[in-house]
Amino acid sequence: MKTRLYRIEELNQSHVQEDIKNTLLSGKLVVFPTETVYGIGAHALDEKGIKRIYAVKGRPSDNPLIMHVSHTQDVFLYTKNHQPYVSKLMEAFWPGPLTMVFEKKDHVPLIITGGLNTVGIRIPSNIAALKIIDIAGVPICAPSANISGRPSSTQFSHVLNDFKDRVDIIIDGGKTEVGLESTVVDVTGPVPVILRPGVITKDMIVAVTKQVMIKQEVSDQEVSKAPGMKYKHYAPKGKMMIVDGAQQDVINFINQHIEKHNKNNQSVGVIVTNDLINCFKKAIVLSLGDPKHEQEIASNLFAVLRQMDEENIEYIYSLSFHQGVYGEAIMNRLMKAANNHIIHL
């Protein structure tokens, strides 16, 4: 197929709207920006389109998809048995990067829930994403637009590289604002449970609900309620390691390994912040940004992981990121990318 490309400025044109709507309603795929990452979208109640998402991404069938709607009242069309605190979370964080996992109604297909009786739903804050949902007139399931297991897409060039002529439409929205996927919270019980951390943090949720629990991993036998809990995720092609410890110890450790890789003619990359760019020689050194600006680091993470692939890096070393409001979310993505391979010095 030949992918049709549109800019977000063209979403007000009637022929573009008609093309998007017809594409989604006929079980085909549209890649579009959200405030978190780019999503690969299909009609969320159409099994044909959903199967295409799993096929084109190479995604395991027990990895659930998130449903996107544009209005709060739409949530009640697809979910039931709401806890009293749900309305407070909606008011505080929607539209925005928070996904809530509800008990689903019967007409929500099991194919998007990993076979579970729960479904994750969110209202994005990105204007283009909301526009596309309204154009379609149906809920849209939209997992991150990347090949399954690889770094998520935060730039138009990423989705173009992964999905040109593999999906019907791609919307060019430039670089996404947040750069990390949404926080996912299970709201089926009396206490909300964080399944995947994001920029909506534990403390922010506690300020609204007074209490919260955290569950980030599932066993091989379990079906996860949220994407990204069970499988190696966000991973570059090279072997990746996170190095945690006192700054000078980390620098010395990585430099020793750079020397070993160079002797073996192996390509090596280092993920750092701006203040440490000049601490590593004879390696590809990529910065996530200013260490004082957590949002910048979060928004650049997946782009840097993808750049490591573009440079054909075989061995990747990353600093750890524990500090600040976004530290937990950033470390969650790094640990998934490194398949939990971390060295504590």
Side-chain angles (χ1 to χ4, degrees), residues 52-247:
R52 281 184 170 163
I53 287 180
Y54 280 106
V56 77
K57 279 178 61 73
R59 185 183 180 95
S61 60
D62 64 346
N63 200 4
L65 307 179
I66 292 171
M67 181 186 292
H68 294 66
V69 298
S70 56
H71 303 284
T72 301
Q73 59 265 31
D74 295 340
V75 174
F76 302 98
L77 299 175
Y78 310 110
T79 64
K80 60 184 180 182
N81 299 331
H82 302 97
Q83 297 293 330
Y85 59 79
V86 162
S87 59
K88 296 179 182 178
L89 289 173
M90 289 178 173
E91 183 177 348
F93 302 118
W94 276 1
L98 176 72
T99 295
M100 286 189 268
V101 177
F102 301 89
E103 289 186 52
K104 76 175 190 70
K105 288 187 174 178
D106 291 342
H107 64 286
V108 175
L110 288 171
I111 191 173
I112 78 166
T113 70
L116 298 174
N117 67 346
T118 55
V119 61
I121 299 183
R122 85 176 186 98
I123 300 178
S125 61
N126 180 278
I127 294 174
L130 292 170
K131 181 78 172 178
I132 289 165
I133 298 167
D134 284 339
I135 288 170
V138 295
I140 297 176
C141 58
S144 57
N146 59 294
I147 303 303
S148 188
R150 295 302 180 192
S152 299
S153 299
T154 57
Q155 299 177 18
F156 174 65
S157 60
H158 299 165
V159 292
L160 200 63
N161 182 64
D162 283 356
F163 295 113
K164 185 179 180 183
D165 299 334
R166 300 185 65 202
V167 300
D168 298 271
I169 294 174
I170 298 177
I171 308 296
D172 181 359
K175 181 181 178 181
T176 62
E177 180 183 357
V178 174
L180 297 179
E181 298 92 342
S182 61
T183 304
V184 180
V185 179
D186 182 350
V187 297
T188 59
V191 177
V193 180
I194 296 175
L195 304 178
R196 181 178 73 187
V199 299
I200 305 298
T201 66
K202 175 185 175 181
D203 288 345
M204 294 165 68
I205 293 169
V206 168
V208 173
T209 63
K210 306 305 179 188
Q211 53 184 335
V212 68
M213 297 170 60
I214 298 176
K215 179 178 182 180
Q216 294 183 18
E217 302 293 338
V218 296
S219 70
D220 291 341
Q221 290 72 42
E222 290 181 88
V223 177
S224 58
K225 286 187 175 183
M229 293 181 69
K230 186 174 179 181
Y231 298 97
K232 183 180 179 183
H233 225 58
Y234 321 117
K237 295 175 183 176
K239 183 177 181 180
M240 183 171 168
M241 177 190 298
I242 302 166
V243 186
D244 185 33
Q247 187 177 96

